[in-house]
Amino acid sequence: MSKSVIIGGGASGLMAAAVCAARGKDTVVIEKMPVCAKKVSITGKGRCNVTNACFDISDLISNVPRNPRFLYSAFSSFMPYDTMSFFEELGVPLKVERGSRVFPKSDCAKDISDALVRNAKNNGVKFIHCAAKAFVFDENKIKSVVLEDGSKIDCNSVALCTGGKSYPATGSTGDGYILAKSAGHTVTEITPALVSLKSSDDFVPGLQGLSLRNISIKLLKNGTAVYSDFGEMLFTHYGVSGPVILSASSHIDNPESGGYKIVIDLKPALDYDTLDKRIQRDFAEFKNRDIINSLSKLLPKKLIPAAVSLWGVPIHKKVNEITREERKNLVHLLKNMEVNISGFYSIDSAIITRGGINVKEIDPKTMRSKIIENLYFAGEIIDVDAYTGGFNLQIAFSTGKLCGENM
């Protein structure tokens, strides 16, 4: 008997399968890992930022830097408040935190993954834990799916919900791209997204572990600002990370080009004049100290040596010897601390993948292929990605639902 086959048992695949099965279709999920939704179980540092309480569709679209208009129908059919109601009804209480991020009250991502699997099973979805290796075609349709063990599953419709290439230990190893290409689809360039950034600047390794809060950043490309944000960031032994950096990474195409830099405003709440007056007050208090020992009220202890080095003033110069021009230069540095970007950190560490199935080859109202009559897509395998804050899981749920309704 022919079945509706969903390849990939992650967030989008489980949603698509449950919705498809609820329509009375004989539905099977093919998942190569021993358990489903493994990536969901570790997302959000094990807490699972399940969606964002962003209830205006224009706000949702504005948080998708890659092909946002493609998602209009999917978002319209399943908004964040639908996601929240969905999990609440499945017995997972939720809470809203800073930035409208939505988490399970338990702070346990497994509650979300378990609910997705349980919902699929309760709707009659069957599971096969084996890798899908190939399609058998009959003219413009997929007739069956060939599994790794050589067996075949006859199908009347297929959905590719295999995710991208980030976190390969969870099963996201790019298998879906190979299957999609065999069906005639185009896969755009695959790069990391929501990923930490490397820097070759000498001062960076010495700041490893330093977390900065309430800072603002600008991402410059060849001197032109292409993104800005406010929030938290972290210095690592290889570069920079943290929420604002991850979101900025979505606007970088070729970091090895040398044209990108992050400009940090360490004191965004203070304009230049106000910050200058603040520094003058500190200098008046510490006028007989060496400059290296006079910035403790202004900067985190770990940042002071790097800041003085970038400032270019001798560390043992007395505060009362600092000229007006040098003080103005310090103000400028604190408002414009530059970190040159030399590359992405590894795709294995990226939260999501940028690139995927070309959206021009998918009907946005049904998630159906425009090339193969009975092939559908949902989730990260599609060339769409969003900022941090629960938006990428919302994409998975919205596209998964639309896919399941139309298979």
Side-chain angles (χ1 to χ4, degrees), residues 256-278:
E256 291 82 9
S257 67
Y260 289 97
K261 64 177 62 178
I262 297 288
V263 180
I264 308 165
D265 185 345
L266 295 164
K267 302 292 178 181
L270 306 177
D271 62 24
Y272 281 77
D273 288 340
T274 306
L275 179 56
D276 187 30
K277 290 174 183 176
R278 160 74 191 278

Side-chain angles (χ1 to χ4, degrees), residues 64 129 146 206 301:
V64 182
H129 290 280
V146 181
K301 183 178 179 180

Side-chain angles (χ1 to χ4, degrees), residues 98 210-216 230-234 264-268 300:
R98 183 172 53 84
L210 175 63
S211 178
L212 299 176
R213 296 184 177 183
N214 300 319
I215 52 89
S216 66
F230 174 88
E232 300 179 18
M233 65 169 288
L234 172 72
I264 308 165
D265 185 345
L266 295 164
K267 302 292 178 181

